[in-house]
């Protein structure tokens, strides 16, 4: 008899990517194998997100499509997991009664049991809160050389636009020793880069020791032999402290990139959002980071059209973007979410106003991203090979420590190897380069940039 198979579709953020890897790990431990498509799978799982409204519509569309498959193969089981499941258990039951299993963000580990129970009828289970960090789940990693490592779950903040605290619960940090042990075993398994995950990584440890321990964690990971790169997402600007910045500057493994979500440039809007920092204190942090790590790349998240945002407020977002000159930004149109304070605020804006502001913001940021990329032409960077380019499989794709995507020729280099690439041309969202050195592990900080001939053409 052939093995049972599964197929997982993941929406949302890196936490969900990682949760999907863990659910895949649990299914494989139960003897399932990955199917090439949902059409052929015995278990079809949707790991959902509800950060913006569009996610809801998308899920029910996909479920409808999967139901058509299930009508042909009634043994197939449909699972809905993740943040939208946490928010909407009853609605899923009502709108998609053919779904077999629903589980939330606090009970991933129950997946095998719920699948068993679903043989006797729908198995829906949502827990309100987890009390301990769910450490010991197997993970089926997508990549042999990269791993997500969860350092905390949940969020104790109350940003008024955000549904995450309602669906991910309170913040719980994982023990430092457990994180280091996991990273050591990942490295022994061939991983060279880890991305630390938490909704607010800078408050990591506050619930363990009464004091944030993120810098201590970075320093502990810096001592892991064989680990090349550490990334993390996201630091909250209000909690980013000098000790973390010093650790970023001093730790060989800490990549020269920070994603520092600003959300808005106007103090009035930041206050309405309850972000707990001002434009000025945010800019102070930007300067602190840039003076400690001069070549650091900086990216951000921005919301356009928060309730009550005036043209003058929006102009402050534009001026902040021009002042910081981010390498890149994730820009979002405000989307009202249930269980959030902003959803009931006055001043929701017409869609056309938000769209028009959104276009101005993305045009500005794209121009800045392009200029910043152009400035790298002629410099040589350490690049970690991620695989073949999707557009042109004769070329490789990789990332610099500053998280810039680089395409280059070098067919015989394996995934996960480190090499040196000189940038020849720039585009708004990627760079083109020429391979100039191979197998360059362990340079760490020294490689930023390795050298600059500063004469590139920069043409697209
Ligand atoms: N914990 C992270 C953010 C996680 S959510 C942090 O504080 O930085 C990722 C991003 O989604 C947010 O930074 C925000 O820009 C965006 N977002 C969250 N809620 C939103 C909403 N209701 N409408 C539009 N964008 C939203
Ligand atoms: Fe949401 Fe704010 Fe928590 Fe980030 S810090 S997850 S934006 S509440
Ligand atoms: Fe992530 Fe979406 Fe949940 S952004 S935490 S998967 S609501």
């Amino acid at each position: 008899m052939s093995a049972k198979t599964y197929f997982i579709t993941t929406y949302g953020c890196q936490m969900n990517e990682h949760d999907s890897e863990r659910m895949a790990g649990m299914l494989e431990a139960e003897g399932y194998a990955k199917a090439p498509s949902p059409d052929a799978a015995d278990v079809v799982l949707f790991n959902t997100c509800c950060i913006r409204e569009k996610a809801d519509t998308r899920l029910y569309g996909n479920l409808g499509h999967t139901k058509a498959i299930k009508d042909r193969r009634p043994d197939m089981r449909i699972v809905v997991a993740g943040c939208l499941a946490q928010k909407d258990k009853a609605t899923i039951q009502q709108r998609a009664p053919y779904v077999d299993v629903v589980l939330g963000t606090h009970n991933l580990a129950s997946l095998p049991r719920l699948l068993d129970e679903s043989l006797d009828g729908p198995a829906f289970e949502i827990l309100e809160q987890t009390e301990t960090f769910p450490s010991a789940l197997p993970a089926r990693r997508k990549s042999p050389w990269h791993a997500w490592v969860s350092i905390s779950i949940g969020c104790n903040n109350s940003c008024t636009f955000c549904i995450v605290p309602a669906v991910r619960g309170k913040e719980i940090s994982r023990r430092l020793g457990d994180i280091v042990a996991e990273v050591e075993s990942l490295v022994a398994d061939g991983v060279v880069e880890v991305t630390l995950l938490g909704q607010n990584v800078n408050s990591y440890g506050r619930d363990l020791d009464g004091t944030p321990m993120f810098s201590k964690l970075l320093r502990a990971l810096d001592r892991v032999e064989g680990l090349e790169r550490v990334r993390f997402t996201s630091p909250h600007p209000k909690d980013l402290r000098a000790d973390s910045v010093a650790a970023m500057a001093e730790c060989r493994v800490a990549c020269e990139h920070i994603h520092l979500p600003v959300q808005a440039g106007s103090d009035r809007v930041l206050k309405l959002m309850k972000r707990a920092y001002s434009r000025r204190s945010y800019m102070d942090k930007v300067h602190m980071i840039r003076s400690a790590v001069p070549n650091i790349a900086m990216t951000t998240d921005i919301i356009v059209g928060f309730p009550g945002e005036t043209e003058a407020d929006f102009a402050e977002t534009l001026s902040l973007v021009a002042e910081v000159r981010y390498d890149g930004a994730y820009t979002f149109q405000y989307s009202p979410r249930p269980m959030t304070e902003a959803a009931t605020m006055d001043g929701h804006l017409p869609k056309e106003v938000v769209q028009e502001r959104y276009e101005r913001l993305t045009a500005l940021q794209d121009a800045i991203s392009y200029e910043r990329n152009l400035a790298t032409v002629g410099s040589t960077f350490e690049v970690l090979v991620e695989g073949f380019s999707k557009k042109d499989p004769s070329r490789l794709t990789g990332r610099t420590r500053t998280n810039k995507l680089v395409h280059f020729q070098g067919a015989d280099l394996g995934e996960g190897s480190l090499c040196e690439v000189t940038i020849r041309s720039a585009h708004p969202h990627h760079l083109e380069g020429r391979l100039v050195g191979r197998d360059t592990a362990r340079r760490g900080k020294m490689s930023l940039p390795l050298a600059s001939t500063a004469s590139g053409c920069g043409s697209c």
Side-chain angles (χ1 to χ4, degrees):
M1 201 182 84
S2 58
K4 297 170 290 181
T5 57
Y6 71 91
F7 189 88
I8 301 181
T9 305
T10 307
Y11 305 100
C13 64
Q14 295 94 335
M15 330 263 157
N16 256 20
E17 291 281 343
H18 184 43
D19 286 348
S20 288
E21 290 187 341
R22 299 208 276 191
M23 289 190 280
M26 281 183 272
L27 290 172
E28 294 197 5
E30 297 282 312
Y32 284 81
K34 190 172 167 205
S37 78
D39 296 10
D42 296 305
V43 170
V44 175
L45 191 153
F46 295 94
N47 192 13
T48 60
C49 168
C50 56
I51 198 85
R52 284 167 291 275
E53 207 169 355
K54 246 191 260 160
D56 298 31
T57 355
R58 200 147 60 138
L59 173 69
Y60 292 107
N62 280 325
L63 281 177
H65 173 73
T66 313
K67 178 176 182 298
I69 308 173
K70 194 177 161 88
D71 287 342
R72 294 195 303 274
R73 293 196 297 111
D75 287 348
M76 186 182 105
R77 273 169 302 156
I78 305 177
V79 181
V80 182
C83 295
L84 183 54
Q86 185 74 28
K87 159 170 107 63
D88 268 357
K89 173 182 151 191
T91 319
I92 294 169
Q93 211 154 12
Q94 195 193 347
R95 286 186 61 177
Y98 48 83
V99 167
D100 299 278
V101 174
V102 172
L103 71 161
T105 53
H106 298 296
N107 57 340
L108 284 193
S110 308
L111 175 63
R113 174 176 57 78
L114 293 170
L115 274 173
D116 277 349
E117 288 174 17
S118 73
L119 293 172
D120 300 323
F124 286 21
E125 184 181 275
I126 302 288
L127 305 184
E128 287 310 313
Q129 180 61 51
T130 324
E131 290 310 323
T132 52
F133 191 93
S135 253
L137 297 178
R140 174 74 175 86
R141 287 198 322 274
K142 263 197 190 148
S143 157
W145 52 267
H146 173 266
W148 308 110
V149 175
S150 184
I151 66 167
S152 62
I153 52 170
C155 178
N156 285 355
N157 292 319
S158 41
C159 306
T160 54
F161 52 80
C162 183
I163 195 171
V164 170
V167 291
R168 289 269 173 177
K170 69 175 184 201
E171 186 177 84
I172 301 178
S173 300
R174 184 179 186 186
R175 284 192 28 213
L176 193 142
D178 291 351
I179 300 171
V180 175
E182 182 181 0
V183 172
E184 282 169 346
S185 86
L186 288 165
V187 169
D189 199 32
V191 165
V192 288
E193 177 181 287
V194 296
T195 304
L196 308 177
L197 297 177
Q199 292 298 345
N200 180 0
V201 292
N202 291 107
S203 68
Y204 165 73
R206 196 176 280 159
D207 52 319
L208 297 175
D209 259 17
T211 165
M213 293 160 59
F214 187 64
S215 58
K216 201 169 158 187
L217 175 62
L218 280 183
R219 290 183 191 282
L221 295 178
D222 203 37
R223 292 191 288 272
V224 175
E225 194 61 33
L227 182 63
E228 295 290 341
R229 294 178 169 191
V230 173
R231 304 187 183 280
F232 52 86
T233 190
S234 293
H236 192 298
K238 83 175 159 64
D239 294 313
L240 181 69
R241 302 187 326 179
D243 62 325
S244 293
V245 174
M248 285 183 69
E250 288 158 27
C251 293
R252 173 190 62 87
V253 291
C255 283
E256 292 75 14
H257 168 227
I258 188 163
H259 183 71
L260 197 62
V262 67
Q263 314 297 359
S266 131
D267 280 344
R268 207 182 64 82
V269 173
L270 287 171
K271 207 165 186 180
L272 287 172
M273 290 177 162
K274 293 206 177 140
R275 286 291 287 179
Y277 52 82
S278 62
R279 177 184 178 128
R280 173 167 231 178
S281 62
Y282 181 89
M283 286 307 302
D284 288 347
K285 303 264 163 116
V286 169
H287 295 313
M288 173 168 77
I289 300 160
R290 283 190 168 149
S291 52
V293 190
N295 289 307
I296 197 161
M298 206 171 270
T299 52
T300 198
D301 290 345
I302 300 172
I303 296 178
V304 179
F306 186 81
E309 180 191 78
T310 61
E311 180 55 34
D313 292 321
F314 177 65
E316 293 208 47
T317 295
L318 292 178
S319 75
L320 178 120
V321 165
E323 190 179 347
V324 177
R325 292 179 58 75
Y326 294 104
D327 291 82
Y330 295 97
T331 46
F332 305 105
Q333 301 193 6
Y334 169 74
S335 169
R337 300 283 62 211
M339 300 180 276
T340 64
E341 230 183 298
T344 56
M345 284 178 181
D346 292 336
H348 285 252
L349 300 177
K351 177 132 194 41
E352 317 76 73
V353 173
V354 181
Q355 179 68 30
E356 191 271 335
R357 286 182 191 168
Y358 179 81
E359 283 165 17
R360 274 191 280 158
L361 174 64
T362 50
L364 172 64
Q365 181 53 52
D366 280 355
I368 294 171
S369 298
Y370 181 42
E371 282 165 21
R372 291 197 68 97
N373 280 352
L374 274 179
T376 67
V377 172
S379 296
T380 300
F381 292 90
E382 178 198 273
V383 170
L384 177 55
V385 179
E386 296 193 348
F388 293 107
S389 155
K390 281 191 197 112
K391 271 202 194 140
D392 175 2
S394 72
R395 292 191 311 157
L396 291 174
T397 284
R399 277 182 197 271
T400 62
R401 288 172 60 94
T402 48
N403 210 31
K404 304 234 181 222
L405 199 60
V406 189
H407 300 310
F408 60 103
Q409 301 281 355
D412 58 324
L413 283 173
E415 246 184 81
S417 55
L418 287 161
C419 60
E420 285 165 13
V421 174
T422 299
I423 306 306
R424 302 176 77 161
S425 67
H427 301 255
H429 302 291
H430 76 273
L431 304 169
E432 308 266 346
R434 185 168 55 88
L435 181 69
V436 294
R438 4 182 118 227
D439 298 326
T440 55
R442 311 240 109 228
R443 281 185 194 266
K445 293 275 180 227
M446 300 303 294
S447 61
L448 235 194
L450 293 167
S452 176
T453 51
S455 61
C457 64
S459 62
C460 269

